[in-house]
């Protein structure tokens, strides 16, 4: 009996290691390139990067304000300066590093990387960013302002 093109054949085996590592390594390369650029082109010097539109129009710091200065300080090993420019960005660097390492380990093992975050976590993150944004714009939260 001839084989149908729609028949289920044997389950495919895991992809070769190089193919499984390609996406996490390409992601790391892109992030490293971005950090290298920000580490080389100082955001503290005017004219290299655009100004935050919210800051320009309203004078209010958004959750991302100071992120480039934070990345620049972080690259140069100034953790205090990085935290002073944008503490949430530094926390984001840590979260990225942990997730990336887990992704890499799973890729080596041939396991899929699936991130399923419940809505409670998304709402919590949004609430934290909102509180961070409000507090850094108030006089008592000036330590969080870039």
């Amino acid at each position: 009996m001839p084989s149908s093109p729609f028949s289920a054949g044997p389950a495919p085996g895991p992809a070769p290691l190089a193919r499984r590592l390609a996406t996490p390594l390409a992601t790391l390369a892109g992030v490293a390139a971005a950090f290298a650029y920000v580490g080389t082109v100082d955001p503290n010097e005017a004219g290299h990067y655009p100004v935050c539109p919210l800051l320009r129009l309203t004078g209010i710091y958004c959750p991302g304000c100071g992120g480039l200065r934070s990345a620049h300080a972080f690259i140069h090993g100034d953790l205090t300066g990085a935290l002073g420019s944008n503490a949430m960005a530094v926390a984001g660097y840590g979260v990225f590093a942990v997730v990336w390492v887990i992704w890499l380990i799973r890729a080596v093992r041939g396991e899929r990387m699936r991130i399923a975050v419940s809505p409670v976590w998304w709402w919590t993150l949004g609430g934290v960013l909102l509180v961070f944004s409000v507090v850094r714009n108030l006089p008592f939260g000036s330590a969080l302002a870039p």
Side-chain angles (χ1 to χ4, degrees):
M1 178 175 233
S3 176
S4 166
F6 301 107
S7 64
L17 181 62
R19 185 169 180 189
R20 293 190 317 255
L21 294 179
T23 305
L25 293 178
T27 300
L28 181 63
V31 170
F35 268 86
Y37 181 79
V38 172
T40 304
V41 181
D42 190 354
N44 295 303
E45 296 176 13
H48 294 291
Y49 300 98
V51 176
C52 172
L54 183 67
L55 181 63
R56 175 174 269 166
L57 295 172
T58 66
I60 296 172
Y61 295 118
C62 77
C65 281
L68 289 173
R69 290 187 293 279
S70 173
H72 183 78
F74 189 81
I75 292 284
H76 291 278
D78 180 10
L79 187 58
T80 305
L83 286 167
S85 292
N86 191 321
M88 291 298 288
V90 176
Y93 309 151
V95 169
F96 172 80
V98 168
V99 170
W100 185 83
V101 167
I102 292 168
W103 187 13
L104 186 67
I105 290 168
R106 286 180 176 230
V108 168
R109 292 179 179 169
E111 300 170 2
R112 291 185 61 155
M113 180 64 175
R114 179 164 244 137
I115 299 175
V117 183
S118 73
V120 171
W121 284 103
W122 287 117
W123 283 103
T124 302
L125 177 61
V128 168
L129 288 172
L130 180 65
V131 169
F132 175 71
S133 298
V134 170
V135 169
R136 76 190 314 211
N137 285 289
L138 295 174
F140 67 84
S142 61
L144 294 174

